[in-house]
Amino acid sequence: MSDNKYIDRRNFIERSFRIGLGAAVAGTAGYTLLKLTRRSYVWQIDPFKCTQCGRCQTDCVLPVSAVKCVHAYDLCGYCDLCGGYFKPDANELSTAAENQLCPTQAIKRQFVEEPYYEYIIVEELCIGCGKCVKGCTSFGNGSLILQIRHDICVNCNECAIARVCPSDAISRIPVDEPYIIKGDFSFTNKS
Amino acid sequence: MWTRRGILFFVFTIVLTLWAYSQHQQRFPRPEFETGYEQPDATTPEPRSGAVELIDVLVLTLALSGGVWLALKKRSRKGILWLSIFSLAYFGFFREGCICSVGSLQNIALSLFDPGYAVSLNVLAFFVIPLVFALFFGRIFCGSVCPLGVIQDLVVLKPVKLPHGLQTVLGLLPFLYLGFAVLFAATGTDFIICRYDPFVGIFRLGAPFHMIMLGVLFLLIGMFVSRPYCRFLCPYGVLLGWMSRFSRRHLTITPAECIECKLCADSCPFDAIEAPTGDLSAERTSKNRNRFIVYAILIPVIAFAAGFLLNRAHPYLAKANSTVYLADLLVTQPEMQFNTENLDISTFMASGKSLATLTEEADAIRHSFAAGSWYLGIFLGLVFGFTLLNQVIYRRREGYTPHKGDCVSCGRCFDYCPVQKHAENTNHE
Ligand code: SF4
Ligand code: SF4
Ligand code: SF4
Ligand code: SF4
């Protein structure tokens, strides 16, 4: 076989493969484009599904979880005896640390007017353990919820908590509505 | 001791749980405040907006274009080095490693197989753009842009040459990784590339201990076996390698005629430079031809056998899926249902979902594993077969040339080629 022929044949094979591969990439891209939503996604917890298992605290890839407790004030009863603030066996309704459910004392209790108290989450302290959320959901209105905080979350390609969440509560949601905050059921009656 | 409040609380609890079983109900009405108290809003800090993500895509394209210019036109190792450091800083440490092209292939796989999942524009861009560049100019992405590759490239200290056979065998691992990553992503089981990404913990300057250790280990090995992740694991590298092998253009070691001094071959830490071949003896040729025929016949057999074997193994593979795992556990060991220690079981039991629904879901997933393992097996069999075949295909090369599939376009060889130096000298005079 002469040199030229050899090189011609090689070039021809290479070109065919190149076209084939190009078509494969274009095909994949095209197919995905058909389904493409212009919006980007972020991970978020559906508070209606979350069972406060505690994995949000331990399984986030960040040293301190990007999941924090959020207060959906719309729902709060401003109770004196707050199921999210006090341990069930608390011996008095004071702000003493041993009475508090929160391991890091991240909830601030503030008097509003008789007999109402306001509860504020200090996010810097919250570690996302969900203990208060569990307390509030079991004994109160469920106004404390866990949410992924997008100023902290690095938006992993696959959220490490979503993978282990036993309630399948974490999913991708569109970036323009990045939180699922419970509303006031007595007004809107929807999630 | 039970205090009065404690008892009250207890009674309260019982009453409440009985009374308000549905959570979608407010147990305590919202108070009417008399002191003019204003209810604050729930705080919702903004995520990075979509516009910023488009900037990422822009930076990616610009960096790749710059890489092409530096590698093919300017032929500057220094330029490539600085560009790669910039990319490491931007895509690695600033953007904290996500989204990266390597991981994006899982999103694409999932969106191809799961009708309910759609990727976003920037994920698609991160997947496609480096591939297109590779199809035209070689693996510019690996040399100049990929943060995972660059961080390994920067620690190369004293690379050892691996025996050819070992390299070929280890070179099969990325295909394995690619295959399993696609299988697990397509079945919605797991994104293993992200989960075992060795460097993302370093980029984020904080991660679970074992993740950081994995990264450090790779970097330590990488001092002597250069770019271990790239060469022996990276699944995206497989795709880039395919593209690059048939790329339209590719960087050349020498700007002019190779004088076969062999200096460049020693400069490449990735053993990606191939020596010129002489003419084959007639005896070798006929031997190769016979082997070629045998292997060519064997390939479909190997592919079928591998597919069959993996398909046999699919029940075990499917256990990686948490739904399948849970269903299997509850079906084979029914007494586990009352295990309150296991969080997954207790949550499932409390959810009110029936075991029948769970096993149905698990069956559907197992079904896709059964089909997927056939494809995966055939794919791996083909890869193995073609690797064998490649050993006996003779390609004539004149002069030292980069292996277009393996070369990551780092440009180290440029500075070693005396032909270029000579040309530069005459320019300066
Ligand atoms: S892992 Fe799931 S169930 Fe557990 S606390 Fe987080 S969101 Fe709630
Ligand atoms: S109890 Fe846990 S989730 Fe609630 S505020 Fe404290 S740290 Fe955060
Ligand atoms: S996406 Fe990553 S950073 Fe955000 S909550 Fe999940 S694991 Fe944590
Ligand atoms: S082989 Fe993979 S990890 Fe290495 S530089 Fe290329 S894309 Fe990045």
Side-chain angles (χ1 to χ4, degrees):
Chain A
M1 198 192 308
S2 82
D3 264 16
N4 270 344
K5 242 191 188 157
Y6 178 76
I7 289 172
D8 278 352
R9 197 184 64 173
R10 206 190 216 178
N11 281 346
F12 173 74
I13 293 176
E14 283 204 0
R15 200 181 317 120
S16 328
F17 269 98
R18 185 154 62 234
I19 292 170
L21 284 168
V25 174
T28 315
Y31 182 79
T32 345
L33 262 174
L34 285 182
K35 293 211 297 183
L36 186 87
T37 36
R38 210 152 277 287
R39 293 183 290 187
S40 305
Y41 293 87
V42 289
W43 293 97
Q44 195 49 274
I45 301 171
D46 182 344
F48 293 101
K49 287 189 184 164
C50 169
T51 49
Q52 300 90 37
C53 67
R55 287 188 181 158
C56 270
Q57 179 198 340
T58 52
D59 281 74
C60 178
V61 295
L62 299 176
V64 178
S65 177
V67 173
K68 305 277 172 201
C69 174
V70 173
H71 199 166
Y73 290 97
D74 272 356
L75 268 178
C76 186
Y78 291 84
C79 324
D80 183 6
L81 178 60
C82 169
Y85 187 79
F86 292 109
K87 283 188 183 149
D89 57 352
N91 41 31
E92 51 167 349
L93 295 191
S94 77
T95 52
E98 73 265 21
N99 295 333
Q100 293 185 26
L101 205 48
C102 177
T104 59
Q105 295 167 52
I107 307 183
K108 235 170 57 200
R109 170 176 153 100
Q110 233 167 31
F111 178 70
V112 182
E113 62 183 57
E114 241 352 285
Y116 301 128
Y117 286 83
E118 182 189 48
Y119 297 91
I120 301 160
I121 313 290
V122 184
E123 252 179 42
E124 293 73 47
L125 295 179
C126 174
I127 49 171
C129 69
K131 292 205 170 77
C132 61
V133 181
K134 198 168 198 105
C136 180
T137 311
S138 333
F139 307 128
N141 282 356
S143 64
L144 296 180
I145 56 177
L146 288 177
Q147 288 283 285
I148 293 173
R149 304 307 267 171
H150 293 302
D151 50 341
I152 307 170
C153 172
V154 291
N155 203 12
C156 308
N157 196 18
E158 190 196 38
C159 174
I161 318 173
R163 192 163 46 77
V164 296
C165 173
S167 315
D168 267 337
I170 305 183
S171 56
R172 295 180 178 86
I173 64 168
V175 69
D176 27 1
E177 277 180 56
Y179 293 91
I180 309 177
I181 308 278
K182 283 177 172 178
D184 182 346
F185 306 130
S186 54
F187 290 140
T188 53
N189 202 21
K190 68 164 188 84
S191 51
Chain B
M1 276 299 293
W2 283 88
T3 58
R4 224 184 75 217
R5 283 211 195 266
I7 294 173
L8 255 180
F9 210 111
F10 184 72
V11 174
F12 215 62
T13 312
I14 303 262
V15 172
L16 278 181
T17 357
L18 292 178
W19 169 59
Y21 220 79
S22 140
Q23 281 179 17
H24 291 237
Q25 196 167 345
Q26 234 153 302
R27 290 164 181 149
F28 309 101
R30 212 157 76 131
E32 308 276 331
F33 294 109
E34 279 150 18
T35 48
Y37 162 80
E38 268 194 45
Q39 175 196 307
D41 283 329
T43 50
T44 53
E46 281 297 305
R48 285 167 59 97
S49 68
V52 186
E53 282 177 340
L54 286 184
I55 292 180
D56 291 346
V57 176
L58 198 71
V59 175
L60 174 75
T61 318
L62 286 179
L64 280 167
S65 314
V68 170
W69 183 69
L70 288 170
L72 270 64
K73 191 98 199 189
K74 193 90 195 321
R75 307 174 49 75
S76 156
R77 163 66 190 157
K78 235 201 192 130
I80 294 179
L81 185 65
W82 283 113
L83 177 61
S84 70
I85 290 176
F86 162 78
S87 304
L88 175 64
Y90 185 82
F91 293 109
F93 291 99
F94 173 62
R95 289 293 289 110
E96 302 185 310
C98 263
I99 169 81
C100 82
S101 302
V102 184
S104 73
L105 73 90
Q106 301 164 113
N107 303 54
I108 302 294
L110 180 59
S111 91
L112 288 183
F113 290 95
D114 177 354
Y117 173 74
V119 296
S120 58
L121 190 59
N122 73 315
V123 173
L124 181 63
F126 266 77
F127 175 74
V128 168
I129 294 176
L131 289 179
V132 172
F133 269 84
L135 196 56
F136 282 91
F137 307 107
R139 294 169 70 167
I140 301 294
F141 178 74
C142 295
S144 312
V145 184
C146 177
L148 291 89
V150 173
I151 196 170
Q152 298 171 81
D153 205 290
L154 292 181
V155 299
V156 172
L157 194 68
K158 209 178 173 322
V160 292
K161 285 220 185 304
L162 299 179
H164 182 72
L166 183 65
Q167 253 199 86
T168 315
V169 173
L170 287 178
L172 290 173
L173 288 179
F175 293 95
L176 214 64
Y177 201 6
L178 173 69
F180 277 98
V182 169
L183 178 71
F184 285 139
T187 52
T189 299
D190 200 347
F191 277 19
I192 52 174
I193 301 176
C194 297
R195 193 168 163 195
Y196 301 112
D197 181 337
F199 303 116
V200 76
I202 296 176
F203 295 153
R204 287 174 185 161
L205 305 173
F209 182 70
H210 66 270
M211 262 177 108
I212 300 272
M213 281 325 287
L214 193 67
V216 171
L217 189 74
F218 265 101
L219 291 183
L220 284 179
I221 296 176
M223 291 177 172
F224 308 104
V225 183
S226 42
R227 288 197 184 224
Y229 183 82
C230 294
R231 289 198 291 164
F232 307 128
L233 277 175
C234 179
Y236 193 60
V238 170
L239 304 182
L240 287 170
W242 284 341
M243 299 295 149
S244 180
R245 193 169 298 221
F246 303 103
S247 69
R248 195 180 162 83
R249 299 184 54 199
H250 193 277
L251 68 76
T252 54
I253 300 169
T254 161
E257 198 83 342
C258 175
I259 54 168
E260 304 197 0
C261 64
K262 198 173 179 295
L263 284 174
C264 59
D266 296 327
S267 76
C268 178
F270 315 113
D271 298 335
I273 296 178
E274 293 178 308
T277 53
D279 281 322
L280 279 187
S281 67
E283 190 195 350
R284 277 289 301 278
T285 315
S286 79
K287 220 184 202 168
N288 275 355
R289 187 178 299 132
N290 290 343
R291 286 225 208 119
F292 183 91
I293 294 169
V294 174
Y295 290 158
I297 295 170
L298 266 180
I299 285 179
V301 181
I302 297 174
F304 181 82
F308 180 77
L309 274 179
L310 261 188
N311 178 263
R312 293 289 94 189
H314 87 264
Y316 303 100
L317 291 177
K319 270 194 204 281
N321 185 290
S322 54
T323 310
V324 176
Y325 182 82
L326 187 65
D328 272 3
L329 195 66
L330 291 180
V331 168
T332 50
Q333 303 173 40
E335 73 279 2
M336 287 295 272
Q337 290 185 22
F338 309 103
N339 183 331
T340 46
E341 303 274 275
N342 185 319
L343 202 51
D344 295 291
I345 295 177
S346 54
T347 308
F348 166 71
M349 294 310 288
S351 71
K353 200 156 116 183
S354 75
L355 190 53
T357 327
L358 183 73
T359 35
E360 230 165 69
E361 282 173 17
D363 281 343
I365 296 169
R366 220 178 274 122
H367 200 77
S368 39
F369 264 97
S373 53
W374 258 116
Y375 296 131
L376 175 58
I378 291 174
F379 168 72
L380 293 178
L382 286 178
V383 166
F384 183 74
F386 277 102
T387 309
L388 271 183
L389 200 65
N390 248 329
Q391 310 301 317
V392 293
I393 291 182
Y394 167 73
R395 283 190 201 81
R396 191 167 42 184
R397 283 183 299 271
E398 266 143 45
Y400 282 82
T401 45
H403 182 288
K404 280 166 79 182
D406 290 346
C407 167
V408 293
S409 300
C410 69
R412 280 188 180 80
C413 49
F414 295 162
D415 293 344
Y416 287 81
C417 182
V419 176
Q420 180 189 19
K421 280 194 185 121
H422 180 69
E424 263 175 14
N425 283 344
T426 42
N427 277 347
H428 288 308
E429 276 158 18

